[in-house]
Each structure stands twice: as C-alpha cells, then as structure tokens.
Amino acid sequence: MKICVFGASSDNIDASYFDAVEDLGRKLAKNSHTVVFGGGAHGLMGAVARGAAEKNGKIIGIAPSFFDVGDILYKDSGELIFTETMAERKKMMEDISDAFIAVPGGVGTFEEFFEVLTLKQLQKHNKPLVIFNVNRYYDKLEELLEEIVKAGFMKRECKSVYKICNSAEELIAYIEGYNETLENVKKY
C-alpha cells in the first residue's frame, strides 16, 4: 500500500517528534508499505523517509522542481518526482496514495490534511485518513473541531471521516484493517 505522510519541514522541533516519526517510517517499511511524502530532507518529512530507508522500504518523494536547491530535498528516495507547482505536488500525492497520515506539522500540513478531509467528505475518495497524535500535538485541533461541531459549522458525523491515533501501531492497524466502502462515506 502507498501511504502518504504529511508533516513538518522544520528541524526546530523537539527530538521526540523525530524519534516517533522515524519509528513510523521503519514500521511502515517493515509492513511492506511504500512511503509517499513531500520530498523534503528536513523536519518530519525527512524523518519518515529516513526511518523507511533504514528498513530498506520503498520511498516516493514528490516535490516542486523549485525545491531542488541545496539540501532541501531527500535525495535518497527510491523515486523522486518533480512537479511544477505545489498544487500539482499535492494532487499527485493524493492520486497515487492509498492512505494518508498527518504527523505533527505547521500550516502546510494542516492545509494538506484538510484538503484530503474535504475531498473525503465530498465522496471524492474513500482512503483512510489518520492523524498521528505524537505528544498529544493534535489535541487542540480536536478541541477546535469539536467546537466547530457544537457551533453547527460541521456535522458530528464528519468526525468519523478521519481517525486520531496516539501510536504508530494503532494507526497502521487502522489503515490495514480499513474496509469502508465509498457508498458508506456520506457527504457531510
């Protein structure tokens, strides 16, 4: 299965995030999954790739060609695909992936997660979507989404479109056991 991992490009974060996401990469590779990611060498993008590479896992990096300067890209990807724009990059990541994981990240990670969530709500795909809640990073986001539901801006059922997991084992088990049909995913 090709599993897309969205995550931080920053190196200025606590080492525990790197440890957890490198371990995720190792476990994905151990379970014979291909890691699809944004091609970055740094941050948690680089961490998941390094973890997968450590276990000889297949890695597909997708990045806009303007990122091909200095040490921005993870050049040890088995496959590095270049796009012209960020939008093309995201579309390709969405199209070739069988599942999505959001690890801790910033605005770009949120944007990628919410686009995939929105597309799933609109029944444009039925791929598993998981938040890896390392160090409870996403607790405040979950609180915000709960407030959005309470205020009537989102139906409670929308929260069933994604899953929050606190461990790599839990999220891999969820993805591997996912059996929802597109007909069961309702527009919310």
Side-chain angles (χ1 to χ4, degrees):
M1 185 178 294
K2 292 179 183 170
I3 301 178
C4 183
V5 180
F6 302 128
S9 61
S10 173
D11 284 331
N12 193 27
I13 54 180
D14 189 80
S16 62
Y17 292 103
F18 288 96
D19 294 343
V21 175
E22 282 180 11
D23 184 57
L24 172 64
R26 286 190 289 275
K27 288 178 173 150
L28 290 171
K30 182 179 173 222
N31 286 31
S32 301
H33 297 298
T34 298
V35 170
V36 176
F37 77 117
H42 299 280
L44 300 184
M45 272 196 283
V48 74
R50 286 189 303 276
E54 188 178 306
K55 294 294 181 183
N56 298 312
K58 186 170 181 191
I59 305 164
I60 301 172
I62 303 173
S65 55
F66 59 82
F67 277 7
D68 194 15
V69 293
D71 69 344
I72 291 176
L73 295 175
Y74 184 80
K75 300 282 180 138
D76 294 330
S77 293
E79 187 175 354
L80 186 56
I81 300 169
F82 288 103
T83 63
E84 287 302 310
T85 68
M86 293 290 281
E88 288 172 3
R89 168 203 203 193
K90 186 171 47 174
K91 175 86 169 100
M92 184 174 286
M93 291 167 69
E94 292 165 3
D95 288 347
I96 71 169
S97 298
D98 302 305
F100 304 94
I101 300 169
V103 302
V107 173
T109 302
F110 292 135
E111 189 265 337
E112 291 163 334
F113 168 76
F114 280 113
E115 177 155 333
V116 173
L117 174 66
T118 300
L119 290 171
K120 190 168 180 179
Q121 286 177 278
L122 296 172
Q123 296 179 310
K124 297 303 180 187
H125 75 83
N126 184 37
K127 301 172 184 181
L129 174 57
V130 183
I131 293 173
F132 188 16
N133 196 19
V134 178
N135 296 341
R136 309 205 63 88
Y137 179 81
Y138 282 110
D139 283 359
K140 294 291 186 187
L141 175 63
E142 188 61 8
E143 288 176 25
L144 174 62
L145 292 173
E146 185 61 34
E147 287 300 316
I148 291 169
V149 168
K150 286 179 185 175
F153 290 100
M154 181 173 84
K155 293 182 180 176
R156 177 153 310 280
E157 294 83 5
C158 177
K159 292 178 58 105
S160 68
V161 174
Y162 65 94
K163 178 146 178 81
I164 294 182
C165 297
N166 294 319
S167 72
E169 295 82 9
E170 179 187 7
L171 72 83
I172 291 170
Y174 173 76
I175 290 170
E176 290 177 346
Y178 188 81
N179 62 1
E180 285 290 323
T181 62
L182 188 56
E183 296 79 37
N184 290 344
V185 176
K186 297 179 176 79
K187 291 183 182 180
Y188 299 115

